[in-house]
Amino acid sequence: APRIDSNPLDNEHPDTNSDGVQLHVNVPGARDGGGAPRELSWLLVPELDGNRVRVTARAGGGAAPPLHASWERTPRGYSVRIAFERSALGADATKAFKLGVAVNEMTPDRERRRGQLVMGGRAGDFVYLRGDRLAPDDLLDFRIADD
């Protein structure tokens, strides 16, 4: 969907109703226990005029680090490539962290998204559509190994 400044249909960010990807990362506090955990999320929407991605960031525990994103068409849709510096998280990301992804789908005949594919959740959990936030308990646990 094209960029719009307000969402008259509900109280979520307007891009939540576009084709796009939501990336959610929760990082524990610093190794010495003195740092606050970070709750970060980015809403990413491919822009049709090239490979640019419109990015909206939200963070708890400090500003969200910038990320680099691009997209390209594929035979069955599109792919999005997202990268950011691990050190920019400002916490110990070598420990376990939580990650969640939601893919929003919008078809040309609609003003709002049609559905979502959510990576995460709890056993037996069912939600028709989530908003632009994922509950921290619904994110999956990850650990980066430098082998």
Side-chain angles (χ1 to χ4, degrees), residues 104-120:
N104 298 324
E105 179 194 29
M106 180 183 173
T107 57
D109 60 325
R110 295 181 56 102
E111 290 184 41
R112 300 179 59 146
R113 66 183 170 201
R114 175 171 67 178
Q116 278 183 318
L117 174 63
V118 178
M119 179 186 83

